[in-house]
Amino acid sequence: MVMFTELRKSTRAIMCMDCGKCSSACPLCGPGGVTPRRIVQGALRDFEGDTRGTRACLTCGACEERCPEGVKFIDFVRGLRELRPASRAACPHAETFQSLARSTIGPEPPRRDLSWIGPDLEVAETGKVALFVGCLPVFERYFEGNLPVQPLDIARSAIRIMNAAGTAPVVMTEERCCGHDLLWNGDETSFRALAEANAAAFAERGIEHVVTACSECARTLGLDYPEALPGLRLKVEHVSEYLARELEEGRIAFEGGEPQRITYQDPCRLARHHDVVEAPRSVFAALPATELREMKHAGRDATCCGTSGFIHCDAESRRLQSARLEEARETGAGFLVTACPKCLIHFSCAQAEDRRRGIEPAVRVKDFTVLAAERLVGDITPSKAASALAAGAVSGDSP
Amino acid sequence: MKPIASPDPPIGIPDFDLAGAGLAVEEIETSPCTRACPAGINVKSYVSLVGQHRFEEAMRVIRDTCPLPSVCGRVCTHPCEETCRLGETGEAVAIRALKRFVADRCHDLPPPATAPERSTPVAIVGSGPAGLTAAWDLRLMGYPVTVFEAEAEPGGMLRYGIAVYRLPRDVLRREIGQIEKTGVEIHANRRLGCDFTLESLFDEGYRAVLVATGGGHGRRLGLPGEAALLEVEDALAFLHRANEGDRKSPGKRVVVIGGGSTAIEAARTAVRLGAERVEILYRRSLAEMPASGEEIDEAIAEGVLLRYLVAPDRIIEDDGRLVGLRCLEVELGEADSSGRRRPVVIPGSEFDVAADRVLAAVGQVAELDFLPPRLLSRLDRRKGLAVDPATGMTELKGVFAAGDVVTGPATVAAAVGAGHDSARAIHRWIEGRATGGRETPSTAPEFGFWTAPPKRPERRHPPTRHPTGKLDFDEVELAFTEDDAVAEANRCLRCGPCDECHVCAPSCDHRHLRVESPSGGSLEVRAPASLVGRMPDDPVRTRISGVGRSVSSEAVDRAGESQFVLAPVRGHIETERCRACGACIEICPFTAIDLEARTAGSDPKARIDLPLCRGCELCTAVCPTGAAESMLRDASWWDARASEALASSEEGGAPTIVLACERRAAELKADGRRVIGLPCAGAVTGGRLLDLVGRGAGRIEVATCTSGSCRFVAGPELASAATEQARDLLGLMGLEARVQMEDKEVEHGDVH
């Protein structure tokens, strides 16, 4: 449990000069609305004051890009959420996913159903490299019939990519939730319990390197786990980083496919929080017949998909989604590619709402991992991959 | 309307002392059908109860304000159906037929208990619907009541003016028998003015007399020579004879003059008695005909000919025998004082109609010969007996009047309403309270519906009997089957804040009410038993405001206010959060939610049509943003209930939590279970169930109503889906052993 005085110092909130540059970057900022400046200055003046802004903040980190004093706004907000907990999760999605995450805490480890891994995919019981699947199976079931998304395809695509690079990853039945949503909702106790249990499971299996297809898992495992567990030695890669590296090292290659024009949504957890901006772009460059057209706001300047994790959703979320989908449409791209399953779900949700009102979406939202796996050299298992590459059947040249 | 706005006790329920408790009561909006009922029946309530298979309770609700359910269920002109919102886009709910179904099914339900016996007897002259209603009301209040009937059998116009194929006499006898069971004494063959007088009644010790002698005899056509011809007859006299069993044929060519119920019934009776050609002549058009649509349709189906815009001009006779009528065509001119357009003769349009019998059904003239001459001389017989609108009393002290004798020919429902008014007026007069007068019109605000009524299944029609060959005098329209009645009742939108099923009043510890303090706060009330006893019988339609601590001292203490309002719980959309996804619109069982752009060009938002919302909170369960909220359940509600239910006890181990709708929650709690009550078990969500798992519940039971009995329509199915979802998600993580979870339908009273 952090104390407020400590939080003010550790996040440099006390350095805030009330200049308002942060608010100029905040996607929520509007007349009378939530602004980072108001959140920080408000809490500094009256800790017990209005908590609305604290709940609504996307923790997307756009404000931190502008702050001349280096105030860590989103850590400050996270601390406030912990110090002033909301009585319950803000929406039914949050309630469901956070409650399920909490249910995985306990001495008895989960025994995840792994039947979704088809016979064409190779996974291992033990090994140094693991795929962290995260919430994907849960999303698959939860949104089935409501949204046109197949989150498990993301997980399968990640395994296919790793197989293509000659690796059969460990997929752990005892994997618990990474704890992202609980941490950002202010439940640090549950987050810590999950982190410790997952770290113990990695150690038990001898895992040193974790790959994930989720930007939030990547940030949580890569940044928050080491902070919570100082002794943890773990290499964490988002699948885009993994692919970029494997491409460069020549262990993976793409082939063929119809020409496609794409644009890319940088997830906040990946681009701003984790500074992974170039890796996905180098993968796009390697994809045959693929043209990337950047949106007006891209890279560390990208705007949010409307909600981080499943923390908070409202009319403002919808406005952001509409605006971002409009930016994507303006590029003329056929696909809006995102490297985070949450972005995928949130944009799909907005498009489903549009469809119900008779508005046909202008772009198709697609996951990064699925897009990349589609253009792998066909029918690959780790053993075949090496020989295929050796035969020089494909090249990784960009169009 | 029910006397909710009055400080007097409503008919049929024990006294309550709101004024003594420092409370004033006013009505809140009610459904259009209930508003329209001249008898003051809570239409929505009994329709809702039929939809839940709760027929006896439905019968009680009907009998609360109508001692003649079987009669009204057959012959009412159902103004309720004319105002039904479903009529805007389709057909109204078949309300009258539903009442008949309930009345037939529960006809032997014992009448309510009477209040303690009073010592002031009341005499009622006339046993038609007005007299019988007043007798019933006064008797239930404890008055000794004697009814005097001039004819050999009680019933008045119900017996002598309504054809037996519409109202079988055994049904009428049965219904009057129920009234007699309360202790009302009916003396037949006692005619006012012949066998007794008003004075003699007071001499015998009656404190008040109600004259409810009916509309009198039929009015003449006003044609020269009609009095001399036996073949030109008052349709009522003809019906009277036929209804008493006279099966003599009226003639071969029968012409009926008039357009009301009496005209139609005389015509259909003539058909049954063997007339070859029966023709109704009406001087206005079909739209103005006072008879109900069903009656007219049935008459046409039975071969009765209808001619509109025709007026008789003179009688054609041959050798002292009727041979026909010279008629004139008319057209409709300006509206007259009754609001109907006045017929105007078209010059030169004469034509003849052959007839060997003419039945006049053109209104009635009151028979008032029993009145003292000094009063009689001042009366206009065409206008009936006048009463003081403030007191309901005639010019004679202690003599009240009600029904057709006052208003001229009107409907059964109107007579029932008039009976209620007189009973209250007599009660007040005997109590020595001159003020208050007759029931003032309802002050309940009108609904402001803004959503279009939703599509509902087709209206079901009760079966009818079509005898092959000759028509007989058996009943034509039959009762709904149970399945049809329930299905038809469930077409009803239940317009209004709740479905008024009254389940909350006797059995529920959560009355689904909230206390609103003037400073804007609101909180939940568990209505104390004292309030149940003291409140009007219709709490959900009643807003109580007052000063003092007598309603709910607990609530007042918590509100920190001395003034408060109790009002029904409804949903609420926090528009700032609403992203207009439409999930609430899809789930709402009452189609009470729709998207609405607040200003042109702005984003649409979900909005609840409050009169349609019944507070089931299903929308709060599906809203992805938490914008749909209940007025009661703010963010901390679930948290508090979950913590309370899971609070450690001596049991040890992971506890079993029961989630139940409020209908079940009270029984389960009494059983010592750890219960979280929701307005409807369907408002439980996968998330809430998982939350309980995360908090350490070892077993979760979702106790729902049985399918079909859920007052929020889909509760059991939604609860089942939520349980399935939670179980499914836990299964994905291999955590299904963490908790036992089941949903089960529980019969009311079958809690274990």
Side-chain angles (χ1 to χ4, degrees):
Chain A
M1 174 60 104
V2 288
M3 299 306 293
F4 188 53
T5 42
E6 194 186 309
L7 180 71
R8 285 189 304 180
K9 273 188 229 156
S10 66
T11 59
R12 297 177 55 85
I14 41 170
M15 304 300 286
C16 172
M17 328 183 278
D18 207 3
C19 70
K21 283 196 169 68
C22 50
S23 298
S24 70
C26 178
L28 292 180
C29 183
V34 172
T35 73
R37 178 188 185 183
R38 222 173 260 158
I39 292 172
V40 170
Q41 287 297 323
L44 290 177
R45 285 184 195 136
D46 176 13
F47 176 63
E48 299 293 338
D50 180 20
T51 58
R52 198 169 58 101
T54 322
R55 307 303 313 168
C57 171
L58 300 162
T59 61
C60 72
C63 44
E64 293 188 5
E65 299 290 304
R66 303 275 178 93
C67 180
E69 286 298 326
V71 173
K72 295 176 181 170
F73 287 93
I74 62 174
D75 289 343
F76 184 71
V77 166
R78 199 174 81 191
L80 285 181
R81 287 177 182 173
E82 195 191 336
L83 291 170
R84 309 187 298 197
S87 56
R88 67 175 276 211
C91 68
H93 293 172
E95 187 174 48
T96 304
F97 299 134
Q98 291 176 28
S99 297
L100 191 62
R102 240 174 241 124
S103 305
T104 67
I105 302 171
E108 189 71 26
R111 282 177 288 107
R112 280 176 177 249
D113 175 9
L114 299 184
S115 60
W116 52 269
I117 304 173
D120 57 323
L121 301 174
E122 232 175 278
V123 292
E125 284 288 316
T126 52
K128 291 191 171 158
V129 187
L131 176 73
F132 196 85
V133 174
C135 311
L136 295 172
V138 175
F139 294 158
E140 176 93 6
R141 190 66 60 90
Y142 189 86
F143 293 108
E144 200 177 358
N146 292 317
L147 293 181
V149 292
Q150 280 91 38
L152 273 179
D153 270 0
I154 303 172
R156 291 193 197 97
S157 298
I159 299 176
R160 190 165 292 124
I161 288 168
M162 294 174 84
N163 285 176
T167 303
V170 176
V171 178
M172 306 194 302
T173 56
E174 70 275 27
E175 178 194 308
R176 289 164 161 94
C177 172
C178 74
H180 172 276
D181 286 10
L182 293 172
L183 177 65
W184 289 93
N185 205 34
D187 185 357
E188 178 136 7
T189 315
S190 296
F191 163 74
R192 189 168 280 275
L194 289 170
E196 281 166 3
N198 277 328
F202 294 144
E204 179 95 2
R205 296 244 192 181
I207 288 160
E208 295 166 1
H209 179 188
V210 174
V211 178
T212 172
C214 172
S215 298
E216 293 181 346
C217 292
R219 148 144 204 159
T220 310
L221 297 171
L223 297 181
D224 299 315
Y225 274 33
E227 196 183 314
L229 312 165
L232 184 70
R233 297 282 168 268
L234 194 66
K235 177 178 173 186
V236 177
E237 275 181 324
H238 182 259
V239 76
S240 61
E241 297 172 278
Y242 177 86
L243 257 175
R245 187 176 47 70
E246 295 289 327
L247 276 169
E248 202 175 305
E249 291 169 11
R251 274 193 294 277
I252 208 160
F254 297 118
E255 70 173 357
E258 294 289 307
Q260 56 185 357
R261 193 179 282 163
I262 62 164
T263 187
Y264 176 63
Q265 163 74 13
D266 287 272
C268 53
R269 266 54 187 156
L270 209 54
R272 271 187 297 271
H273 291 203
H274 220 10
D275 202 23
V276 178
V277 174
E278 286 313 315
R281 286 176 172 78
S282 67
V283 174
F284 296 142
L287 284 175
T290 301
E291 180 195 351
L292 172 68
R293 291 195 172 184
E294 295 285 7
M295 285 184 275
K296 203 158 67 188
H297 300 89
R300 293 186 69 109
D301 194 27
T303 38
C304 175
C305 71
T307 301
S308 65
F310 286 94
I311 305 281
H312 182 95
C313 175
D314 62 10
E316 208 50 34
S317 315
R318 167 73 222 199
R319 190 180 63 74
L320 291 180
Q321 284 149 9
S322 298
R324 193 61 169 156
L325 287 167
E326 176 57 21
E327 271 192 25
R329 190 194 62 79
E330 282 168 3
T331 65
F335 293 103
L336 169 60
V337 178
T338 170
C340 181
K342 317 292 171 75
C343 297
L344 178 82
I345 288 164
H346 297 148
F347 284 136
S348 298
C349 175
Q351 290 188 331
E353 288 169 5
D354 283 346
R355 252 187 226 105
R356 278 201 287 272
R357 285 179 220 152
I359 304 166
E360 211 39 50
V363 290
R364 287 169 62 189
V365 187
K366 189 157 190 170
D367 179 76
F368 169 88
T369 313
V370 173
L371 179 92
E374 275 173 3
R375 301 214 166 179
L376 288 171
V377 175
D379 191 26
I380 288 164
T381 60
S383 36
K384 286 182 195 158
S387 53
L389 271 178
V394 287
S395 80
D397 291 345
S398 57
Chain B
M1 289 303 300
K2 299 213 66 186
I4 284 172
S6 115
D8 290 312
I11 308 301
I13 69 156
D15 277 14
F16 59 94
D17 181 16
L18 284 170
L23 296 169
V25 179
E26 65 182 276
E27 280 179 87
I28 62 169
E29 63 270 60
T30 184
S31 54
C33 49
T34 299
R35 221 182 151 77
C37 180
I41 302 176
N42 190 337
V43 177
K44 178 172 72 168
S45 177
Y46 79 77
V47 170
S48 136
L49 288 163
V50 172
Q52 298 172 33
H53 294 264
R54 291 157 65 193
F55 307 127
E56 287 201 356
E57 288 162 85
M59 183 66 163
R60 286 199 183 92
V61 168
I62 297 170
R63 275 213 308 219
D64 239 9
T65 44
C66 176
L68 298 164
S70 301
V71 172
C72 288
R74 284 170 169 79
V75 304
C76 186
T77 54
H78 49 69
C80 50
E81 293 184 25
E82 316 312 319
T83 65
C84 176
R85 285 185 71 226
L86 285 184
E88 289 172 29
T89 51
E91 283 193 277
V93 174
I95 301 170
R96 180 187 55 78
L98 287 173
K99 171 146 67 248
R100 186 228 162 120
F101 166 79
V102 171
D104 279 12
R105 184 166 175 122
C106 307
H107 64 82
D108 51 1
L109 189 73
T114 56
E117 204 69 19
R118 294 170 188 261
S119 58
T120 42
V122 178
I124 292 172
V125 186
S127 64
L132 289 174
T133 302
W136 166 271
D137 285 356
L138 289 163
R139 182 66 205 124
L140 293 183
M141 285 187 234
Y143 291 97
V145 178
T146 311
V147 178
F148 297 92
E149 168 57 47
E151 300 290 340
E153 297 262 6
M157 273 294 274
L158 302 177
R159 176 159 200 100
Y160 298 105
I162 293 177
V164 293
Y165 61 84
R166 288 186 73 207
L167 178 59
R169 291 307 179 253
D170 56 334
V171 172
L172 178 61
R173 211 169 291 128
R174 195 172 71 195
E175 201 119 87
I176 294 174
Q178 286 284 352
I179 296 170
E180 286 178 295
K181 270 189 199 162
T182 63
V184 170
E185 293 210 20
I186 303 181
H187 296 177
N189 287 319
R190 301 282 310 271
R191 185 176 292 272
L192 179 60
C194 299
D195 304 309
F196 62 97
T197 64
L198 292 173
E199 289 77 17
S200 71
L201 290 175
F202 288 105
D203 290 344
E204 284 175 47
Y206 293 105
R207 282 288 303 281
V209 176
L210 174 65
V211 176
T213 49
H217 57 260
R219 188 175 289 173
R220 290 281 181 183
L221 290 170
L223 305 179
E226 70 176 300
L229 281 174
L230 284 175
E231 295 95 333
V232 180
E233 196 187 2
D234 171 15
L236 271 176
F238 164 72
L239 269 175
H240 188 155
R241 264 203 331 274
N243 288 340
E244 285 303 280
D246 181 354
R247 295 285 181 263
K248 210 166 75 210
S249 169
K252 286 186 176 161
R253 300 176 74 95
V254 177
V255 170
V256 184
I257 314 289
S261 243
T262 304
I264 301 278
E265 296 200 10
R268 292 177 69 188
T269 301
V271 170
R272 283 169 170 73
L273 292 176
E276 284 168 13
R277 179 187 168 93
V278 179
E279 204 166 354
I280 293 176
L281 306 184
Y282 180 51
R283 58 187 187 143
R284 291 185 168 97
S285 70
L286 178 63
E288 282 85 20
M289 262 182 120
S292 78
E294 293 114 310
E295 280 182 276
I296 297 170
D297 291 345
E298 284 175 16
I300 292 171
E302 290 171 7
V304 173
L305 303 168
L306 261 72
R307 286 175 82 153
Y308 310 109
L309 298 166
V310 171
D313 184 39
R314 81 188 158 78
I315 289 163
I316 307 170
E317 58 180 300
D318 178 23
D319 198 14
R321 270 182 38 250
L322 174 77
V323 292
L325 280 179
R326 169 69 47 88
C327 297
L328 295 164
E329 285 180 26
V330 297
E331 57 190 359
L332 295 178
E334 297 294 304
D336 64 10
S337 58
S338 73
R340 295 183 300 179
R341 294 171 67 192
R342 192 192 300 277
V344 180
V345 169
I346 303 173
S349 63
E350 294 87 353
F351 64 100
D352 293 345
V353 178
D356 52 15
R357 173 69 67 122
V358 169
L359 299 171
V362 292
Q364 283 164 261
V365 182
E367 289 169 20
L368 301 169
D369 295 332
F370 53 83
L371 291 170
R374 61 178 170 83
L375 184 57
L376 198 54
S377 62
R378 296 213 309 272
L379 278 179
D380 176 355
R381 288 193 181 218
R382 294 164 67 93
K383 286 186 180 158
L385 182 53
V387 293
D388 179 346
T391 62
M393 212 192 297
T394 63
E395 285 187 43
L396 301 168
K397 195 176 155 200
V399 178
F400 297 77
D404 287 359
V405 72
V406 174
T407 58
T411 62
V412 175
V416 170
H420 290 316
D421 288 346
S422 312
R424 277 191 290 273
I426 290 169
H427 171 63
R428 269 181 217 137
W429 186 73
I430 290 177
E431 296 268 280
R433 279 182 282 163
T435 54
R438 298 178 68 199
E439 195 50 37
T440 48
S442 166
T443 54
E446 294 267 11
F447 274 128
F449 294 110
W450 65 275
T451 47
K455 288 265 177 293
R456 281 293 202 250
E458 295 266 301
R459 169 167 165 149
R460 305 209 178 194
H461 296 275
T464 49
R465 201 180 54 89
H466 296 292
T468 49
K470 196 169 169 293
L471 287 171
D472 56 24
F473 283 87
D474 287 346
E475 201 169 14
V476 175
E477 190 190 282
L478 304 174
F480 268 133
T481 61
E482 179 172 332
D483 286 350
D484 277 354
V486 171
E488 181 61 21
N490 283 330
R491 289 177 67 231
C492 169
L493 300 174
R494 320 264 204 271
C495 307
C498 95
D499 49 358
E500 302 182 27
C501 71
H502 294 217
V503 75
C504 57
S507 63
C508 190
D509 73 336
H510 176 171
R511 288 284 287 285
H512 217 54
L513 294 169
R514 72 198 158 89
V515 172
E516 245 175 27
S517 71
S519 51
S522 74
L523 52 84
E524 181 179 355
V525 184
R526 286 168 186 280
S530 59
L531 181 60
V532 178
R534 205 167 26 226
M535 267 174 60
D537 54 346
D538 211 351
V540 289
R541 292 204 291 120
T542 309
R543 192 185 290 266
I544 297 183
S545 55
V547 183
R549 307 172 77 80
S550 41
V551 163
S552 164
S553 53
E554 180 204 11
V556 180
D557 286 345
R558 280 160 68 196
E561 302 270 355
S562 58
Q563 292 220 343
F564 49 86
V565 174
L566 285 179
V569 173
R570 300 177 193 180
H572 167 69
I573 305 271
E574 191 67 57
T575 46
E576 271 184 32
R577 300 195 71 170
C578 173
R579 51 180 291 148
C581 69
C584 54
I585 300 171
E586 265 172 50
I587 199 86
C588 177
F590 311 109
T591 58
I593 314 180
D594 207 345
L595 287 184
E596 182 209 42
R598 305 188 78 71
T599 54
S602 70
D603 288 338
K605 299 284 182 184
R607 186 180 142 188
I608 299 179
D609 197 355
L610 286 178
L612 289 178
C613 173
R614 283 190 275 152
C616 65
E617 301 186 3
L618 298 185
C619 53
T620 69
V622 297
C623 176
T625 67
E629 292 175 339
S630 150
M631 288 178 174
L632 276 187
R633 274 149 265 266
D634 62 9
S636 61
W637 182 87
W638 171 260
D639 205 38
R641 289 304 148 90
S643 313
E644 185 189 322
L646 280 155
S648 61
S649 73
E650 288 158 20
E651 291 165 36
T656 298
I657 305 295
V658 189
L659 286 153
C661 80
E662 280 151 2
R663 288 169 77 180
R664 303 283 175 272
E667 298 170 49
L668 289 158
K669 256 180 216 163
D671 239 22
R673 311 291 302 271
R674 295 168 179 249
V675 184
I676 301 178
L678 296 163
C680 173
V684 71
T685 57
R688 281 178 169 174
L689 293 170
L690 289 171
D691 183 44
L692 293 175
V693 179
R695 289 166 185 261
R699 178 179 165 78
I700 302 171
E701 290 170 14
V702 184
T704 72
C705 302
T706 49
S707 285
S709 80
C710 170
R711 61 193 166 124
F712 299 125
V713 186
E717 291 75 19
L718 291 167
S720 176
T723 316
E724 187 62 35
Q725 186 188 57
R727 206 187 282 132
D728 224 26
L729 294 178
L730 283 172
L732 287 175
M733 307 302 281
L735 293 170
E736 58 272 30
R738 185 69 56 87
V739 66
Q740 286 175 286
M741 212 182 286
E742 70 166 324
D743 64 289
K744 55 181 179 184
E745 296 186 359
V746 181
E747 290 279 355
H748 205 39
D750 178 27
V751 172
H752 40 80

